[in-house]
């Protein structure tokens, strides 16, 4: 049944000249039919290079918006309209505009996991893999980092020469994991390396053998000589690594580290997008597009 749906998707996307993007947190059956898989910004860059005029994003809304910003002439479809990101939606343009008034001499750094509208009042974007590099290159020593205080904390500890202002925001899925989870996992699997995403809390991150983005974690595990790993990010990565490296063992840090927004997209959703009966086309107002693009362009310039 799954293979039949996949074959129909492959047939339709070829007939209709579509490109399918799938974030790493998507299910294996969706990754198998995608043209590109990976972290959100990397997918947007890949989409900008292809000749296809229609792009389907299997991920969440802010990712589809980023694709549209980098490919304004393409038709961009979010595969499931309800797939959002709680972190991206927890701060808005009005709130951050008021915060900026309180800290006028701070450079506002926005994690890519923000809405396009919020990016319009920020100075530069970062990804989890580029945040340290870009913050180091910013000439201003005063940095207001939003919305993820955990990623901001991790970066700030590596740049003590800069003055960071962090707001109380972050990823509910990664914040769900605790230091107690780490202790229990290491007790159960003592001969493992602990790989963690910097969206986790500082109490979790401090135990890590490696801290990095989703693809960074996967690349590290694949290249490592070690044979056992505890994975401190969304549990789909455990599944993907198990399939990619069957000679190694992977354990989730917590059985509860599941992003329900990422799981909202199904293989049939993708099929119906290809048929043109499901999904939502991403349309951005000119002022949102230009403001958000300026923020992303500065990230590209710096990193």
């Amino acid at each position: 049944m799954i293979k039949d749906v996949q074959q129909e998707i492959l047939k339709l996307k070829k007939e209709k000249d579509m490109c399918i993007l799938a974030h790493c947190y998507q299910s294996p059956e969706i990754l198998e039919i995608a043209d590109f898989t990976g972290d959100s910004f990397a997918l947007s860059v890949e989409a900008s290079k292809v000749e296809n005029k229609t792009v389907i994003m299997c991920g969440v809304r802010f990712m589809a918006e980023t694709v549209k910003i980098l490919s304004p002439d393409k038709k961009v479809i979010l595969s499931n309209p309800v797939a959002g990101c709680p972190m991206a939606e927890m701060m808005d343009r009005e709130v951050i505009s008021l915060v900026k008034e309180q800290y006028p001499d701070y450079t506002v750094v926005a994690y890519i996991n923000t809405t396009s509208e919020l990016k319009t009042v920020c100075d530069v974007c970062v990804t989890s893999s580029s945040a340290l590099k870009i913050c180091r290159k910013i000439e201003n020593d005063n940095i207001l980092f939003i919305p993820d205080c955990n990623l901001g904390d991790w970066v700030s500890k590596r740049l003590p020469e800069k003055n960071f202002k962090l707001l109380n925001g972050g990823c509910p899925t990664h914040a769900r994991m605790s230091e107690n989870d780490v202790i229990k996992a290491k007790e159960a699997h003592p001969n493992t390396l602990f790989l963690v995403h910097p969206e986790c809390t500082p109490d979790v991150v401090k135990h890590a053998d490696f801290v990095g983005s989703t693809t960074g974690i996967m690349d590290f595990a694949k290249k490592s000589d070690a044979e056992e790993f505890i994975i401190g990010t969304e549990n789909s990565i455990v599944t993907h690594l198990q399939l990619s490296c069957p000679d190694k063992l992977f354990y989730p840090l917590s059985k509860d580290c599941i992003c329900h927004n990422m799981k909202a997209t199904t293989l049939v959703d993708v099929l119906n997008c290809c048929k043109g009966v499901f999904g939502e086309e991403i349309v951005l107002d000119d002022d949102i597009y230009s403001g958000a693009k300026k923020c992303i362009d500065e990230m590209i310039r710096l990193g």
Side-chain angles (χ1 to χ4, degrees):
M1 180 65 177
I2 289 177
K3 285 295 182 184
D4 292 339
V5 176
Q6 288 177 320
Q7 288 302 314
E8 182 67 12
I9 291 172
L10 295 174
K11 174 176 173 289
L12 286 171
K13 78 169 184 176
K14 183 177 181 180
E15 290 176 355
K16 298 188 177 184
D17 191 32
M18 294 175 163
C19 174
I20 297 178
L21 311 175
H23 188 271
C24 294
Y25 293 168
Q26 295 294 309
S27 62
E29 60 265 24
I30 291 177
L31 297 186
E32 288 172 353
I33 51 85
D35 295 286
F36 300 100
T37 64
D39 287 332
S40 63
F41 185 70
L43 291 174
S44 301
V45 172
E46 293 293 348
S48 71
K49 298 176 182 177
V50 301
E51 295 182 357
N52 310 81
K53 295 302 181 183
T54 301
V55 178
I56 297 174
M57 166 55 82
C58 302
V60 296
R61 183 170 296 274
F62 83 82
M63 298 177 185
E65 290 180 350
T66 306
V67 174
K68 185 64 177 180
I69 292 166
L70 268 61
S71 303
D73 296 330
K74 291 183 168 68
K75 182 177 183 180
V76 179
I77 300 171
L78 176 60
S79 55
N80 190 312
V82 304
C85 172
M87 172 163 56
E89 297 162 3
M90 65 177 49
M91 295 179 188
D92 60 29
R93 181 165 58 179
E94 289 71 28
V95 168
I96 298 306
S97 294
L98 291 173
V99 175
K100 285 176 64 176
E101 292 178 5
Q102 300 177 43
Y103 301 95
D105 57 341
Y106 278 65
T107 295
V108 183
V109 177
Y111 193 18
I112 196 73
N113 299 37
T114 44
T115 65
S116 294
E117 183 180 58
L118 179 52
K119 289 181 177 73
T120 63
V121 294
C122 300
D123 298 303
V124 59
C125 277
V126 296
T127 65
S128 55
S129 58
S130 70
L132 179 59
K133 178 181 180 181
I134 290 175
C135 287
R136 180 180 285 122
K137 284 188 173 183
I138 292 172
E139 293 183 5
N140 189 2
D141 286 340
N142 295 326
I143 294 175
L144 173 64
F145 193 101
I146 63 169
D148 188 359
C149 61
N150 293 325
L151 176 60
D153 178 81
W154 182 78
V155 173
S156 69
K157 287 176 178 174
R158 282 144 189 83
L159 296 175
E161 69 275 16
K162 291 185 178 286
N163 180 31
F164 279 77
K165 175 66 178 177
L166 307 177
L167 301 185
N168 189 22
C171 170
T173 300
H174 285 96
R176 204 173 292 139
M177 294 182 284
S178 68
E179 185 175 23
N180 191 45
D181 290 326
V182 180
I183 294 170
K184 287 182 177 180
K186 283 181 170 287
E187 287 177 350
H189 311 288
N191 300 314
T192 57
L193 292 182
F194 178 37
L195 317 183
V196 70
H197 197 287
E199 289 178 17
C200 291
T201 63
D203 283 345
V204 170
V205 171
K206 70 181 182 183
H207 294 282
D209 297 293
F210 173 81
V211 181
S213 66
T214 304
T215 53
I217 287 172
M218 295 180 75
D219 289 343
F220 182 94
K222 291 174 182 178
K223 296 174 182 177
S224 175
D225 292 332
E227 297 181 349
E228 297 186 51
F229 305 86
I230 298 168
I231 304 300
T233 190
E234 215 276 344
N235 285 346
S236 57
I237 300 306
V238 175
T239 302
H240 301 328
L241 284 170
Q242 287 171 334
L243 294 172
S244 299
C245 308
D247 56 328
K248 297 180 179 182
L249 297 174
F250 300 93
Y251 312 104
L253 176 58
S254 167
K255 62 182 175 60
D256 296 320
C257 191
I258 298 171
C259 177
H260 299 289
N261 281 276
M262 282 290 187
K263 296 298 184 285
T265 301
T266 68
L267 189 66
V268 175
D269 289 342
V270 183
L271 173 61
N272 287 331
C273 285
C274 291
K275 290 180 177 179
V277 298
F278 194 62
E280 178 184 337
E281 181 178 357
I282 299 298
V283 179
L284 299 176
D285 293 339
D286 289 344
D287 63 326
I288 299 294
Y289 165 77
S290 59
K293 185 176 186 299
K294 182 179 179 181
C295 187
I296 292 175
D297 284 346
E298 181 66 2
M299 173 176 70
I300 295 171
R301 186 186 74 83
L302 290 175

